[in-house]
Amino acid sequence: MPLEIDPESLRATAGTLALLPLEIDSAPRLDADPVADSLKATSVGASLSQSNAASTRAKEVLKARYNQFSALLMISADTFNGADEDVANRLSAAGDINTGIR
């Protein structure tokens, strides 16, 4: 079944994506420091001591990508000219969230 795209569905999806960074902000902190402190002399402890910073960076990247995709969907909705191919090309140019490409 083909996927139909229209400006309103793009706007609705953009609105949903725009709310996701708020969900990320309300996620609990990893808080691995107490365990890392108790395992200071081990490689696990060393890795755990870096996990809070890594988790924070991952959350920031994810929030930025959600914001980027939300904005891209709004631009696509605002410039929609009836050709699903134009929107598909714009979205595919954004790259995969897992590649780190911005």
Side-chain angles (χ1 to χ4, degrees):
M1 180 167 111
L3 174 68
E4 288 191 35
I5 297 175
D6 61 64
E8 290 315 307
S9 66
L10 292 170
R11 283 186 185 89
T13 304
T16 299
L17 282 174
L19 295 175
L20 291 176
L22 300 173
E23 297 278 336
I24 293 169
D25 284 338
S26 66
R29 180 172 146 74
L30 190 56
D31 202 21
D33 291 336
V35 176
D37 286 345
S38 67
L39 298 171
K40 282 182 188 175
T42 68
S43 60
V44 172
S47 294
L48 279 174
S49 69
Q50 299 171 16
S51 64
N52 283 329
S55 175
T56 299
R57 280 192 309 276
K59 288 177 181 178
E60 292 301 317
V61 168
L62 192 55
K63 286 178 3 183
R65 291 296 280 178
Y66 282 143
N67 287 331
Q68 177 189 21
F69 279 111
S70 176
L72 183 58
L73 289 172
M74 285 303 292
I75 290 167
S76 295
D78 291 344
T79 60
F80 191 81
N81 64 12
D84 293 352
E85 187 176 340
D86 292 340
V87 172
N89 288 335
R90 191 177 296 119
L91 294 174
S92 67
D96 185 345
I97 195 168
N98 293 315
T99 64
I101 297 172
R102 294 183 187 202

